[in-house]
Amino acid sequence: MEHGVSAIKEQHKAIVDTIKGITAGDWKVLVVDETTKKIIDNAVSEDEILNRNIANIEQIEHRREMNQTMDAVYILSPLPHIVDCLLADFERGRYRKAFLLWTGVLAPELGRKFSGFRQQIASFDTLFIDFIPRESHLITFRDPWSLPIFFHPACNNLVAEHMRTVAQKIAAVCITLGEIPKVRYYHPRNPTHEASVLCTHLARFVQKELDDYKEWDPNFPPPSSRPQAVLLITDRSMDLMAPLIHEFTYQAMAHDLLPIKEGEKVTFHMSINEGAEEKDMELGDKDKVWVENRHRHMKDTIDKLMSDFQRFIEQNPNFTDQNQDTTSLNAIKDMLAGLPQFQEMKEAYSLHLTMAQESMNIFAQHKLPDIGSVEQTLATGLDEDFKKPKNILDQVVRLLDDPDVTPSDRLRLIATYVLYRDGVIAEDIKRLLAHASLPPSEAEKIINLEFLGAQPTRALKPLRPPPPPLFPRNTKTLALQDEEYALSRFEPAVKLMLEDLCRGALDPALFPYTVPPLDGSDDPLASQGSLRSAAPKWASAHNRQKQTRQRIIVFMAGGATYSEARSCYEISEKLNRDVFLATTHMLTPQLFLRQVGDLSVDRRRLDLPMDRPKPRAPAHLFERPAPPPMITPPAGPAANRPAPPPGGAGGPRPPTKGLGAMTLSSGSSSSVPPPPAMAGDGQDGGKTGKLGKEKEKKRRNFLGMKK
């Protein structure tokens, strides 16, 4: 379901409008790096960029031709090796002028490296687009290493720097959406794990980033009739059931059961044209069938796909024999094979009918109805009649014995049971694993849940009472729900948190503010405050559209699930908000258990990017062009003449003065014009020159240009 506002569209607008404002009818080259290319490709097509007076798109790490007659627009990551690549361009004078755009804040020590190249820099700005919007309301940082960095005991020395990086990305999401939100964060009750302070510290980092931006641009955010946004910062420890149990809505079920690849694009590999061709089919917001069905229960998804196809048959009576069967998935797939004139529709429906059918085959073959029923009881603590369950261990053991239940599902079932019991004695975990015919080493994946706040093992007599639910639910209301959806009784904590927030009932002790509201009110529709009163001159009509839906941004550190993404869309629809889920990375149950298992391995085996050699600018960027070949004098009598004495008049003088001024050092300042004075030179170009001396001073300091 679409709600008008979209993180993809907002990022697209930020990129395209900025490029258009710089080119202004004059042809330029766009230079990107490996990371920014992925960000731009995700939001903007290459044709759209080339249509904005961009003559060519080049990658800064690659070999490129000199182009000293054309200006370049650089969109770069604020990383040391990328700065070195840029400096190499400046030293060679590769382009005429440079318009610099960074995707995030450039560190001051990196900004100071450009002090000798001010004449080449036409403008210097920050775009705040260092994130990947995967759907209209789902944003990822593609950073699976966040979970071990935040929760592995041996990674403590990496946490502060990584937190700063994540905070800048969260702030970038808020800025791109045009918001300076109230910041609230998860503060667990009676925590036992070391990472329990994660959200507290991360929220303070984010608040500082937002405060710095607000100081740099007092006119932000643009005027709006919306209430002030809310940012909720939480982490994976808030809900350990959500990434373990089976979910039976289409998107979550497909990612759990099918071999969906998650790279630059999310794709499913399948045969098309009656098996004549293999193709990776993309699952994204451009696929309207996917968008319309991804959050539906699988039963409803299949009904919708079949009814839509039936409607197509009725609208195209000449297409098929009226007596053909249109009530089974296989029959519909066979009919689609004969639809060459409807290629796009054919591929979309073939894709989703195939995925739905394969998911349902696994559902039936591997006893997922039985597993799901037990999981729902363990996750909610209540049986299908919403009463305290009886003989639940017997039901678990029966499934562990069943040969149709996969080893992966057996492990998930044991982990879910251990969480339901708030811990068991260590010997019981060994017994359950042995009963499930799983290797003893799998115990690590269960015991390591303690790093995320669980208590998987305990003494024979419990040392603490079971913790109360974070968000208690009214069982009388639940009992009225449709029995058809008994396998979907569990609601992720994110959904219950959002419901409490929108009712003004979110516990301020559980979710405190970084800056308590001035009016002391928890009412989400309380006065909009002074942040919305300014009317900056650059605010376009697009930004002034009267949208009254409050925006809520949920950030989940350590990975989010597809059930949590679905919950955010559902709350948007049900409670008239725009809820965005941002997270370090998306989790499937398999990935979650693998990452939890890694929390006890030697850090060197994790292969964290921070532990690898630092990336360096490619050596070819610093290569100098070969000197012109020397001309050999012709053979003959002239070749035997004695050389004239030095300084004599017998021949041309050697270019001693020019040779003395040359250098082979790539870092020598003699290879570029002498730098102009840094202060008050008026050559900064772009927007900075219009802000006045005081504003310019603040801006340079914020963007890391201050010496």
Side-chain angles (χ1 to χ4, degrees), residues 155 157-158 603-604 606-614:
C155 293
N157 66 317
L158 302 176
R603 173 172 153 178
R604 288 169 293 187
L606 298 176
D607 190 31
L608 298 172
M610 301 79 171
D611 291 339
R612 299 172 195 162
K614 299 294 181 192

Side-chain angles (χ1 to χ4, degrees), residues 115-165:
S115 60
F117 300 102
R118 288 296 300 278
Q119 286 187 336
Q120 295 185 51
I121 299 174
S123 68
F124 193 109
D125 214 339
T126 307
L127 265 181
F128 298 101
I129 56 166
D130 191 11
F131 56 90
I132 306 283
R134 188 152 137 177
E135 299 172 8
S136 63
H137 288 60
L138 176 61
I139 296 156
T140 74
F141 298 162
R142 285 188 188 164
D143 184 11
W145 298 279
S146 280
L147 192 147
I149 290 170
F150 284 142
F151 295 102
H152 194 298
C155 293
N156 286 348
N157 66 317
L158 302 176
V159 170
E161 186 57 38
H162 187 64
M163 211 173 263
R164 191 172 290 107
T165 301

Side-chain angles (χ1 to χ4, degrees), residues 384-441:
E384 292 182 12
D385 298 319
F386 296 95
K387 295 178 180 175
K388 191 171 181 181
K390 296 177 181 176
N391 305 319
I392 189 67
L393 180 57
D394 291 345
Q395 297 176 50
V396 170
V397 169
R398 198 176 305 124
L399 287 168
L400 296 181
D401 277 337
D402 196 318
D404 290 331
V405 177
T406 65
S408 170
D409 286 345
R410 292 177 204 172
L411 183 63
R412 287 163 67 174
L413 199 55
I414 295 171
T416 308
Y417 174 73
V418 168
L419 291 175
Y420 160 76
R421 288 286 308 274
D422 191 38
V424 297
I425 60 172
E427 196 60 36
D428 282 350
I429 293 179
K430 293 178 185 175
R431 288 195 190 101
L432 288 168
L433 288 171
H435 206 82
S437 302
L438 294 172
S441 59

Side-chain angles (χ1 to χ4, degrees), residues 22 57 94 119 142 145-146 152 193 209 247 250 256 265 322 330 348 353 381 386 397 400 437 441 491 612-613 641 688:
I22 290 174
I57 302 173
R94 189 178 295 277
Q119 286 187 336
R142 285 188 188 164
W145 298 279
S146 280
H152 194 298
H193 60 302
E209 295 294 331
E247 162 91 7
Y250 180 32
D256 185 0
K265 306 285 184 184
Q322 295 297 314
N330 280 330
L353 289 165
F386 296 95
V397 169
L400 296 181
S437 302
S441 59
E491 298 281 18
R612 299 172 195 162
R641 289 178 190 164
T688 307

Side-chain angles (χ1 to χ4, degrees), residues 263-276:
E264 305 306 312
K265 306 285 184 184
V266 179
T267 58
F268 178 72
H269 190 78
M270 63 175 283
S271 302
I272 59 173
N273 297 332
E274 300 184 67

Side-chain angles (χ1 to χ4, degrees), residues 627-648:
M630 293 182 66
I631 299 173
T632 306
N640 299 321
R641 289 178 190 164

